[in-house]
Amino acid sequence: EADIYQTPRYLVIGTGKKITLECSQTMGHDKMYWYQQDPGMELHLIHYSYGVNSTEKGDLSSESTVSRIRTEHFPLTLESARPSHTSQYLCASNDSPGAGQGTDTQYFGPGTRLTVL
Amino acid sequence: QKEVEQDPGPLSVPEGAIVSLNCTYSNSAFQYFMWYRQYSRKGPELLMYTYSSGNKEDGRFTAQVDKSSKYISLFIRDSQPSDSATYLCAMSVSRGNQFYFGTGTSLTVIP
């Protein structure tokens, strides 16, 4: 079982509030990701990091920001939440594969269900 | 055009049935193919991982990749109510690089 954690699991918040979604993994993985998942839609990559002090935006335009100060921690922040941010947010991680080693597959956290009123 | 196409279902089958789930893709550079299972209110968990074309079997699950047709399948034999979940396909060009996901197929196995 993957050791990747997300908090909070559920969050209901008013418009304009600043929120931070937490993601931590204890596997020592270099690579971490944030996805947005809506019903009937594919997972959309919104941010990723390939290591400490490395962050990139994904395919989906997002008003969120991320930081990667420690290997195990990859928080996502919304400065001013809006109803359009209502979604399921999934954090994932995987290691950088060595030649012939492992599957490099992504391990997912349980998700944060965010509702912005 | 989406990179990965997957029929969202929903799919409903009786217990014991053989289930076939499928994805098609457009990028011929994809080499790594995965199937994830996602239970309600949980994150996706890896079910099967395949490199390039061919079949891979793990218990009641068989993953099949046909790169010439850009088509992958997941077969579930002797389906159980505990198999009720959403199944997502995913693929990547090279190891450690960006994953592209399907929309997921919702499966219900009726006792």
Side-chain angles (χ1 to χ4, degrees):
Chain A
E1 189 172 323
D3 296 321
I4 181 163
Y5 309 98
Q6 289 185 245
T7 57
R9 292 293 314 279
Y10 303 93
L11 180 62
V12 180
I13 202 163
T15 297
K17 300 292 185 184
K18 177 179 178 179
I19 58 169
T20 296
L21 308 184
E22 301 287 350
C23 176
S24 296
Q25 49 93 6
T26 58
M27 299 171 282
H29 286 169
D30 292 330
K31 299 182 178 180
M32 296 189 73
Y33 309 80
W34 276 103
Y35 291 92
Q36 193 169 328
Q37 184 180 36
D38 295 304
M41 304 289 288
E42 63 267 36
L43 271 70
H44 285 295
L45 181 67
I46 48 176
H47 292 283
Y48 62 98
S49 167
Y50 283 177
V52 171
N53 294 325
S54 151
T55 62
E56 300 287 344
K57 286 185 181 256
D59 296 333
L60 184 67
S61 173
S62 173
E63 293 155 338
S64 57
T65 58
V66 291
S67 62
R68 189 87 183 277
I69 298 171
R70 301 197 316 265
T71 298
E72 62 271 23
H73 195 214
F74 190 41
L76 180 143
T77 298
L78 278 165
E79 291 293 331
S80 179
R82 292 212 292 264
S84 60
H85 295 137
T86 295
S87 188
Q88 166 96 333
Y89 291 84
L90 289 167
C91 180
S93 73
N94 67 283
D95 207 348
S96 298
Q101 294 178 19
T103 62
D104 81 64
T105 190
Q106 292 190 355
Y107 295 94
F108 284 86
T112 294
R113 166 65 62 182
L114 173 66
T115 301
V116 183
L117 303 176
Chain B
Q1 185 184 5
K2 287 184 182 179
E3 297 271 8
V4 181
E5 298 278 358
Q6 184 176 9
D7 186 340
L11 190 59
S12 185
V13 301
E15 184 174 353
I18 296 174
V19 177
S20 172
L21 305 168
N22 311 295
C23 288
T24 59
Y25 60 94
S26 56
N27 188 349
S28 58
F30 286 141
Q31 295 191 84
Y32 298 88
F33 304 91
M34 290 135 282
W35 286 95
Y36 285 83
R37 178 175 59 197
Q38 185 175 21
Y39 291 115
S40 180
R41 303 186 189 282
K42 302 274 186 167
E45 57 178 338
L46 180 70
L47 202 55
M48 298 288 281
Y49 178 96
T50 314
Y51 169 68
S52 194
S53 283
N55 292 1
K56 184 174 183 179
E57 189 174 319
D58 184 2
R60 295 185 296 111
F61 299 90
T62 299
Q64 207 169 72
V65 175
D66 181 350
K67 289 190 72 181
S68 61
S69 302
K70 299 195 187 75
Y71 188 88
I72 69 170
S73 300
L74 177 70
F75 296 97
I76 307 174
R77 290 184 299 282
D78 187 25
S79 55
Q80 302 294 309
S82 58
D83 295 329
S84 298
T86 296
Y87 291 80
L88 298 101
C89 62
M91 43 200 82
S92 66
V93 171
S94 57
R95 298 179 75 200
N97 277 348
Q98 186 173 339
F99 287 49
Y100 294 85
F101 288 85
T103 55
T105 300
S106 175
L107 171 68
T108 300
V109 180
I110 303 166

